[in-house]
Amino acid sequence: MGLFQLAGVAALALCASAAPAEPRAPKPKSFLKDLGNSTWVIGNGIWNMTQGRQYGVKLWYKGKDRVGPTATGHYVSYNGAASDLNWTSAAIADSGKDWINIKFTAKEGDFHWVIHDDLAGAYQYFVNHALPTLGEFRTLWRLDNVSFPNGHTNVKDGQLPPLSEYAAATNVQDETWQKADGTFLTKYDWSAFVRDQTYYGVYGDEVGSWYINPGKDYYNGDHLKQELMVHRESKTGDAVQLNMIHGTHYLARSSDNFTDGKTWGPWLWYLNDGNKADADNRWKKEDKSWPYEWFKDAAYQSRGSVSGKLVLSDGRPASGAAVFLGDSNSALSAADQGKDYYYTAYADKQGRFTIENVRTGTYGLYAWGNGGNIADVKTSFVQNDVVVSKRKKTDLKSLKWTVTDKSKSIFQIGDFDRTSRGFALSGPTPFEHGRIAKTPGNLTYTVGKSHSSDWYFGQSNLGVWSINFNLKSIPESATGAKLYTSLAGFSSGTKSNILVNNEKIGNISSNAVLLVSSQDTYRGATQAGEWRNLQWDVKKELLKVGENKLDIAVTESTKWRGWLWDSVALEWV
């Protein structure tokens, strides 16, 4: 065998022993293109958006620009519209075979778009680095009003008011107009309870834009946290889709400092053909997948659970109680907490509760009545220093909740549930501008004859609401009585005196009891705002055997401002 033949055999042997070449993995179809001058295009084969320094000014989907010539597009801002984030750079932070994670950087933090090749929309989240102390922080779309004429939340669905209606109406308040027929146009009619949302957004006959926020632990506030969701922009007609991830629209205060690394999200921004059933199915899929396994953040993935059983000191289980896992050792109400992560649940009939997928950390556990079998419970439960560890079940076992003696009750109007539900005009929808002006100035409620439905959800107009009650006897052991005027919300500008048998014992006023005004009644809230439980001592000698009267007399009134009622109760002490 010649030298050439030996070399050929060696070469063949070498080829035979070598491993076959791996096929090259396909690149994702999702993309980021840098056009220079702080302009980028992101998207996939289904949609794309042109992002400038502040605004995502074009959204191409189904062959059309869905932002349009007058709308602002997509942006992130804090403290209302005062501060829009300015993006200084954009880069692909991570990627897989069919997705990319694009990070837009601003001095305050990083906003991420996780774009999959086959997804109409994107997962989004924000990582804080230097946000200032703030009350409002949001992401949003302002979209073409022709493509998106309708709005949807879990409590309201239908056409957004046409821009032409605003031009023919009179502005009477922030984003509120009165029409010639006396009715109102206001963006606040499109508010809803944040933690009750499944999917919400704006839609038309050929396209829908939806926010789907499973988990919701990055939101501030408790079960009754309300926010503006969608609305018509009154100047240009934009269809506005809000993602208020830290909001104050119906609170007295919720101004927080955030640690470096505090993360909001991920949530899903979802596009479809306007089909609500499809959006609902997508919500169910996302909710089932939360917390997302694909989000490879150590703090996000480090979770445990908390469980326990709430038992009242009189032996009753705390059936249906609202349970809130929030800040430990905090002076803030559950509604006002917002610097970290928060979880809500309701106890079952036996008072048991379990909260799964809680980020590891130290929490405060709060509970209060939610009507039903514990509608008389005036106190709240608090236990601090609840530690949640990774992959551990924190079992708090039986928790004793101290309550007042039910047998000492003289009367009670409405459930102690921090809402006005059950009172006249509180529904059917929880938002309507000016509804509080429809409540009477004068009202007489007779204990034993009247019902909670005869009491109204709010009080604002000049006049006297009187409660007549009969005492068959006065306990010798009683040192007096305590009056509870529990408010589901309070907007300053309306004042009242509280009188028992014509003697003043207190008043409802921001000056008198240091009530901080919340943004509820004048923004059309009818069921909840920020709860306060005001308590007043009633001297024993003020009460008598036979007929007695409690008056709540409004002496000063400001239109659309006043308070939402939770409950009025009197008991012996």
Side-chain angles (χ1 to χ4, degrees):
M1 183 178 293
L3 183 61
F4 179 80
Q5 292 174 303
L6 287 172
V9 171
L12 289 171
L14 182 62
C15 291
S17 62
E22 291 285 340
R24 181 173 294 180
K27 290 183 178 180
K29 298 175 184 176
S30 306
F31 62 85
L32 163 68
K33 294 181 181 178
D34 189 341
L35 303 184
N37 196 29
S38 298
T39 304
W40 306 268
V41 180
I42 65 173
N44 55 24
I46 302 171
W47 66 274
N48 68 77
M49 182 194 72
T50 302
Q51 176 69 58
R53 181 173 289 276
Q54 288 178 288
Y55 305 114
V57 293
K58 288 183 175 61
L59 172 62
W60 286 97
Y61 180 63
K62 291 184 176 289
K64 296 180 182 179
D65 174 17
R66 302 300 176 171
V67 170
T70 61
T72 305
H74 185 273
Y75 57 104
V76 181
S77 68
Y78 58 90
N79 291 335
S83 300
D84 300 330
L85 269 61
N86 280 260
W87 310 117
T88 57
S89 65
I92 295 177
D94 196 6
S95 64
K97 66 178 182 179
D98 59 357
W99 60 272
I100 57 174
N101 182 342
I102 300 171
K103 179 175 72 174
F104 284 90
T105 298
K107 66 178 181 180
E108 296 88 350
D110 303 323
F111 190 79
H112 291 253
W113 301 70
V114 180
I115 304 173
H116 289 254
D117 292 351
D118 60 352
L119 178 60
Y123 294 95
Q124 300 174 322
Y125 63 97
F126 182 84
V127 181
N128 172 59
H129 294 309
L131 279 171
T133 301
L134 57 79
E136 290 191 349
F137 182 50
R138 62 188 188 169
T139 78
L140 68 155
W141 282 100
R142 287 173 55 173
L143 297 164
D144 171 49
N145 55 34
V146 175
S147 295
F148 303 94
N150 306 309
H152 174 86
T153 72
N154 70 318
V155 296
K156 189 176 178 69
D157 179 87
Q159 184 181 18
L160 297 169
L163 182 60
S164 59
E165 290 192 15
Y166 290 91
T170 302
N171 183 254
V172 294
Q173 184 184 275
D174 164 43
E175 288 298 318
T176 304
W177 284 257
Q178 189 166 22
K179 296 164 63 175
D181 63 2
T183 60
F184 297 97
L185 295 170
T186 176
K187 68 180 184 180
Y188 300 112
D189 282 352
W190 290 90
S191 300
F193 293 92
V194 169
R195 294 180 183 270
D196 293 344
Q197 294 309 303
T198 54
Y199 66 98
Y200 72 95
V202 291
Y203 68 97
D205 293 334
E206 61 179 13
V207 61
S209 178
W210 312 98
Y211 278 130
I212 296 174
N213 299 67
K216 299 180 174 61
D217 55 1
Y218 43 84
Y219 283 124
N220 61 312
D222 57 23
H223 311 60
L224 299 177
K225 176 67 167 59
Q226 302 160 98
E227 270 304 335
L228 182 59
M229 296 287 171
V230 299
H231 66 91
R232 172 76 69 211
E233 208 289 320
S234 60
K235 292 182 176 62
T236 63
D238 303 358
V240 182
Q241 181 187 2
L242 282 167
N243 187 32
M244 297 295 304
I245 48 181
H246 192 285
T248 60
H249 273 108
Y250 292 90
L251 298 177
R253 60 170 77 85
S254 191
S255 188
D256 293 299
N257 294 305
F258 309 106
T259 58
D260 186 358
K262 157 84 186 220
T263 300
W264 285 270
W267 59 84
L268 175 63
W269 163 62
Y270 182 59
L271 288 165
N272 71 0
D273 61 0
N275 187 312
K276 288 179 285 186
D278 172 70
D280 183 51
N281 287 333
R282 189 72 198 203
W283 149 258
K284 292 172 183 175
K285 177 180 178 180
E286 299 302 321
D287 187 50
K288 187 176 181 180
S289 299
W290 185 88
Y292 294 123
E293 292 184 1
W294 57 262
F295 189 49
K296 304 302 182 184
D297 175 82
Y300 177 90
Q301 296 295 345
S302 182
R303 295 175 184 263
S305 68
V306 177
S307 63
K309 181 179 181 181
L310 289 160
V311 180
L312 306 184
S313 56
D314 60 15
R316 289 180 289 164
S319 303
V323 182
F324 178 72
L325 201 60
D327 297 336
S328 184
N329 298 288
S330 175
L332 297 175
S333 70
D336 287 334
Q337 294 178 24
K339 66 184 180 65
D340 289 313
Y341 303 94
Y342 303 92
Y343 303 85
T344 58
Y346 292 97
D348 65 15
K349 291 181 179 180
Q350 287 73 43
R352 297 188 181 93
F353 65 90
T354 299
I355 305 175
E356 302 282 2
N357 296 312
V358 177
R359 282 173 172 259
T360 55
T362 301
Y363 293 87
L365 181 76
Y366 304 77
W368 54 88
N370 189 42
N373 294 332
I374 61 170
D376 61 295
V377 174
K378 307 170 186 68
T379 61
S380 301
F381 176 87
V382 180
Q383 178 165 318
N384 292 304
D385 302 315
V386 175
V387 177
V388 178
S389 302
K390 186 175 182 179
R391 299 194 188 95
K392 300 293 184 182
K393 296 181 179 180
T394 300
D395 186 356
L396 301 176
K397 303 187 184 305
S398 184
L399 301 166
K400 184 179 180 180
W401 180 348
T402 302
V403 297
T404 58
D405 189 342
K406 191 176 181 180
S407 67
K408 293 184 176 182
S409 175
I410 298 170
F411 70 79
Q412 179 178 330
I413 303 172
D415 295 352
F416 279 90
D417 63 0
R418 303 193 178 188
T419 79
S420 67
R421 292 166 185 155
F423 294 141
L425 295 183
S426 66
T429 59
F431 301 93
E432 180 192 359
H433 180 76
R435 194 187 300 174
I436 196 168
K438 301 175 184 178
T439 61
N442 297 298
L443 174 70
T444 299
Y445 185 100
T446 302
V447 174
K449 294 182 179 180
S450 301
H451 303 279
S452 291
S453 56
D454 298 319
W455 194 260
Y456 282 78
F457 78 93
Q459 189 172 1
S460 176
N461 294 317
L462 292 172
V464 181
W465 288 18
S466 296
I467 302 171
N468 296 327
F469 60 100
N470 186 282
L471 292 176
K472 294 181 179 180
S473 64
I474 297 178
E476 291 185 11
S477 60
T479 59
K482 180 167 286 189
L483 173 68
Y484 297 84
T485 54
S486 183
L487 310 181
F490 171 82
S491 293
S492 65
T494 295
K495 301 178 181 179
S496 74
N497 290 326
I498 302 173
L499 306 97
V500 174
N501 291 329
N502 298 317
E503 183 166 330
K504 181 179 175 181
I505 65 166
N507 58 66
I508 300 176
S509 163
S510 56
N511 294 329
V513 292
L514 301 178
L515 280 171
V516 179
S517 180
S518 52
Q519 306 168 66
D520 37 52
T521 63
Y522 68 91
R523 284 183 169 170
T526 66
Q527 292 185 2
E530 185 159 342
W531 173 78
R532 286 89 159 180
N533 189 6
L534 310 180
Q535 302 176 27
W536 314 95
D537 292 326
V538 181
K539 295 177 182 178
K540 189 174 183 178
E541 54 266 29
L542 280 181
L543 300 170
K544 58 187 179 181
V545 174
E547 292 301 320
N548 293 264
K549 185 174 69 165
L550 168 68
D551 291 330
I552 303 167
V554 174
T555 58
E556 295 182 32
S557 177
T558 300
K559 195 173 186 179
W560 306 321
R561 291 176 180 260
W563 46 89
L564 305 175
W565 281 111
D566 171 24
S567 186
V568 184
L570 186 66
E571 66 180 18
W572 297 112
V573 293

